[in-house]
Amino acid sequence: MKRIAVLASGRGSNFQAIIDRVCDGTIPAEFACLITDNPSAYAIKRAKNHNISVSVVSFSDYPDRESYNQALENAMQESGADLFVLAGYMRLLKPETVRRFAGKMINIHPALLPSFSGLHAQQQALDYGVKIAGCTVHFVDEGMDTGPIILQYPVVVLSDDTEESLAARIMEFEHVSLPQAVKLFCEDRLEVSGRTVIIHDHQDE
């Protein structure tokens, strides 16, 4: 059974979506830990509610970015996780960390990549005037939201949408797509070929 570590900085609603699917048996895995850079993140409460260990690696506890990055990498290594899920983790990982855990890290982004990477993706979509927005689950590489795409879900943009209303509707699909991608990973059904992620059926295993 695979072990999952989740990295989150805030509310942890996507973390909760994964917890729910592990608890009901949909995802064949167990939690290694929650890793957070925010000592007051609500995600910590979600972890404690389900007896998931928590590792707090707060940026303010370290003299510089290099020592922080080393502490984060140590926490990830010590977790013994097979998969690291970035679920609202608000700090960029250094390239060395990405390379160290290559193929074992996935991220959720509230846009249909490669469009609208980075922050405020929903507002970017509205400013551009797109009719379809959505969310993307992808493997993490050394770029910003540039890794191979695992799953995407489209969301229709309404004429009266605001950043907040569009974000809320996209999040509903985040809560479906991220646990689904975690499940596929834990079932060894994902294969990366160049930029393409091949999803194997059970009978192909």
Side-chain angles (χ1 to χ4, degrees):
M1 183 174 284
K2 296 279 197 298
R3 287 169 55 78
I4 304 167
V6 174
L7 282 70
S9 298
R11 293 176 301 168
S13 65
N14 276 308
F15 177 35
Q16 186 66 54
I18 298 170
I19 291 173
D20 293 344
R21 299 290 77 79
V22 169
C23 288
D24 70 14
T26 300
I27 296 175
E30 60 186 12
F31 282 100
C33 65
L34 166 72
I35 300 173
T36 181
D37 62 327
N38 179 5
S40 56
Y42 189 76
I44 295 173
K45 179 174 175 60
R46 297 183 191 273
K48 291 181 176 178
N49 286 343
H50 294 273
N51 297 314
I52 299 168
S53 64
V54 178
S55 178
V56 178
V57 187
S58 176
F59 190 81
S60 61
D61 289 342
Y62 298 89
D64 52 44
R65 182 173 177 81
E66 184 59 35
S67 56
Y68 167 79
N69 285 336
Q70 188 59 57
L72 173 63
E73 206 170 287
N74 291 344
M76 294 173 69
Q77 184 68 31
E78 291 167 5
S79 74
D82 301 293
L83 174 65
F84 298 91
V85 182
L86 277 60
Y89 188 71
M90 301 308 291
R91 294 188 180 277
L92 282 176
L93 300 177
K94 66 176 184 176
E96 294 85 352
T97 304
V98 173
R99 287 194 293 269
R100 183 173 183 180
F101 300 102
K104 299 173 62 176
M105 300 172 58
I106 65 175
N107 181 51
I108 181 79
H109 183 71
L112 295 178
L113 294 173
S115 298
F116 314 127
S117 61
L119 298 175
H120 302 292
Q122 305 93 334
Q123 188 61 53
Q124 290 184 59
L126 291 174
D127 291 344
Y128 203 85
V130 300
K131 305 304 181 186
I132 302 291
C135 59
T136 302
V137 187
H138 63 94
F139 281 104
V140 176
D141 66 6
E142 295 178 35
M144 180 182 287
D145 303 320
T146 56
I149 291 168
I150 302 170
L151 294 171
Q152 291 185 302
Y153 277 79
V155 175
V156 174
V157 178
L158 305 178
S159 59
D160 60 349
D161 261 329
T162 62
E163 181 178 10
E164 292 74 21
S165 65
L166 180 57
R169 289 207 317 287
I170 290 174
M171 184 165 287
E172 294 177 17
F173 288 89
E174 292 180 40
H175 294 168
V176 174
S177 57
L178 186 56
Q180 185 178 356
V182 172
K183 172 180 168 67
L184 291 169
F185 182 96
C186 292
E187 293 174 341
D188 294 318
R189 293 172 59 192
L190 300 179
E191 176 189 349
V192 181
S193 177
R195 282 214 51 85
T196 301
V197 177
I198 300 166
I199 300 175
H200 292 285
D201 294 332
H202 281 288
Q203 58 265 32
D204 293 337
E205 297 174 0

